[in-house]
């Protein structure tokens, strides 16, 4: 967490995060135009934010786009703030930003585990329920197969979709249609990509939620920081995350 606090200590870097909060997925040129600073200076600040995990980059053609990653902030919240929070305060890290349609959100986290164990935690229904609000996933995990997301407290499935790519223990791509309310049903189908990359004795997990319409309902993607924090906690400690938001649906 030291790198996160160091990155947040500089007002320019906080302003850069505010700018990505306002409009996610910006290029270096776009960010440079909004600051009275050289291109080199902006690039240096972005590198520190990227090293701290607060910014994630993706190539789109010849451009390198920068995305705000709220997961490290969620982990700080879980460690020191959640004890005093009401359940509704879980929305703290449901950061709202807009992109040109379609919209995508990128979340990145490092977990001290093996790719095989991380893949098992993602695809094993019983383990999944420990960090995803008590929800289970029913599927045979073959390419082209369907899945449903269920909860013992719900009378009907909470979500459904198709497994587009299943490449253990590296990559999982799924379509997703939320079913827990009429407001999210109206959003239609989006896509979730899980990517696992070994880094030393740990893994970098990147979750990309894409094919979202501009201004999509935040219920669709706002829970990811909490889910990934719970996944990290369970794999590294064997314990379930007990923040108020994590217990809302269990």
């Amino acid at each position: 967490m030291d790198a996160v606090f160091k990155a947040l200590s500089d007002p320019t870097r906080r302003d850069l995060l505010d700018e990505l909060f306002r409009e996610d997925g910006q290029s270096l040129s776009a960010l440079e135009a909004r600051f009275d600073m050289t291109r080199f200076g902006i690039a240096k600040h972005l590198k520190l934010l990227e090293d701290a995990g607060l910014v994630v980059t993706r190539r789109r053609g010849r451009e390198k786009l920068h995305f705000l990653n709220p997961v490290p902030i969620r982990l700080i919240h879980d460690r020191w703030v959640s004890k005093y929070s009401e359940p509704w305060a879980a929305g703290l890290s449901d950061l709202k930003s807009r992109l040109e349609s379609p919209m995508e959100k990128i979340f990145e986290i490092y977990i001290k585990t093996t790719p095989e164990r991380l893949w098992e935690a993602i695809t094993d229904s019983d383990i999944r329920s420990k960090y995803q609000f008590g929800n289970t996933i029913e599927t045979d995990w073959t390419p082209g197969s369907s899945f449903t997301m269920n909860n013992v407290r719900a009378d009907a499935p909470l979500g459904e979709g198709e497994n587009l790519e299943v490449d253990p223990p590296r990559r999982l791509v799924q379509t997703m249609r939320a079913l827990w309310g009429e407001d999210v049903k109206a959003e239609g189908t989006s896509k979730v990509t899980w990517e696992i990359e070994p880094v030393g004795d740990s893994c970098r997990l990147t979750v990309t939620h894409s094919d979202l319409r501009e201004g999509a309902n935040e219920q669709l993607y706002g829970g990811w920081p909490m889910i990934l924090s719970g996944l990290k906690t369970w794999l590294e400690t064997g314990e379930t995350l007990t923040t108020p938001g994590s217990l809302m649906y269990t």
Side-chain angles (χ1 to χ4, degrees):
M1 290 187 179
D2 290 346
V4 176
F5 284 115
K6 179 181 178 181
L8 293 173
S9 67
D10 184 89
T12 300
R13 291 194 284 274
R14 294 195 298 270
D15 289 344
L16 281 167
L17 293 178
D18 286 339
E19 183 59 33
L20 291 177
F21 175 83
R22 184 189 66 79
E23 182 182 344
D24 218 352
Q26 296 193 54
S27 66
L28 176 58
S29 296
L31 290 168
E32 180 190 2
R34 292 177 170 87
F35 289 85
D36 185 18
M37 184 178 293
T38 66
R39 184 181 183 88
F40 176 78
I42 294 295
K44 186 176 180 180
H45 282 302
L46 287 171
K47 180 63 166 59
L48 285 169
L49 290 169
E50 190 175 350
D51 289 344
L54 292 165
V55 167
V56 180
T57 61
R58 284 291 179 274
R59 288 282 181 183
R60 294 291 184 272
R62 299 180 64 179
E63 281 192 317
K64 182 179 181 182
L65 303 182
H66 300 80
F67 295 83
L68 176 64
N69 178 31
V71 174
I73 298 172
R74 178 77 236 183
L75 291 173
I76 292 172
H77 171 270
D78 291 339
R79 181 168 178 175
W80 286 298
V81 180
S82 61
K83 175 181 177 181
Y84 306 100
S85 302
E86 294 297 324
W88 309 114
L92 177 70
S93 61
D94 296 349
L95 303 178
K96 182 180 180 181
S97 55
R98 294 174 180 269
L99 293 172
E100 294 182 357
S101 184
M103 182 172 72
E104 70 178 7
K105 295 292 179 179
I106 301 176
F107 306 90
E108 183 178 273
I109 193 168
Y110 287 82
I111 304 174
K112 191 171 184 180
T113 189
T114 64
E116 291 76 16
R117 192 158 175 258
L118 179 51
W119 180 268
E120 179 188 22
I122 294 169
T123 57
D124 184 283
S125 187
D126 290 336
I127 298 176
R128 187 83 166 251
S129 68
K130 297 179 186 298
Y131 61 86
Q132 192 167 350
F133 313 127
N135 298 335
T136 58
I137 303 292
E138 294 186 12
T139 181
D140 63 9
W141 297 114
T142 58
S145 64
S146 62
F147 75 86
T148 57
M149 182 171 67
N150 302 288
N151 192 295
V152 293
R153 296 181 59 184
D155 297 328
L158 299 179
E160 64 183 10
E162 179 184 350
N163 299 310
L164 302 177
E165 297 180 40
V166 184
D167 182 18
R170 291 179 291 273
R171 180 177 167 90
L172 173 65
V173 183
Q174 301 171 292
T175 63
M176 171 66 186
R177 180 169 181 257
L179 302 174
W180 60 78
E182 293 303 319
D183 49 351
V184 293
K185 285 182 182 179
E187 294 288 347
T189 301
S190 56
K191 185 168 68 176
V192 177
T193 301
W194 305 72
E195 295 174 291
I196 300 171
E197 180 184 352
V199 181
D201 62 354
S202 302
C203 289
R204 177 168 59 206
L205 173 62
T206 304
V207 174
T208 303
H209 199 155
S210 58
D211 292 355
L212 296 160
R213 70 171 182 85
E214 182 180 3
N217 191 312
E218 292 180 55
Q219 292 183 53
L220 295 177
Y221 58 84
W224 281 116
M226 201 184 314
I227 292 168
L228 298 182
S229 297
L231 172 58
K232 177 181 175 70
T233 299
W234 190 84
L235 280 170
E236 293 185 346
T237 70
E239 299 178 358
T240 55
L241 196 61
T242 56
T243 60
S246 298
L247 298 175
M248 282 172 62
Y249 307 107
T250 57

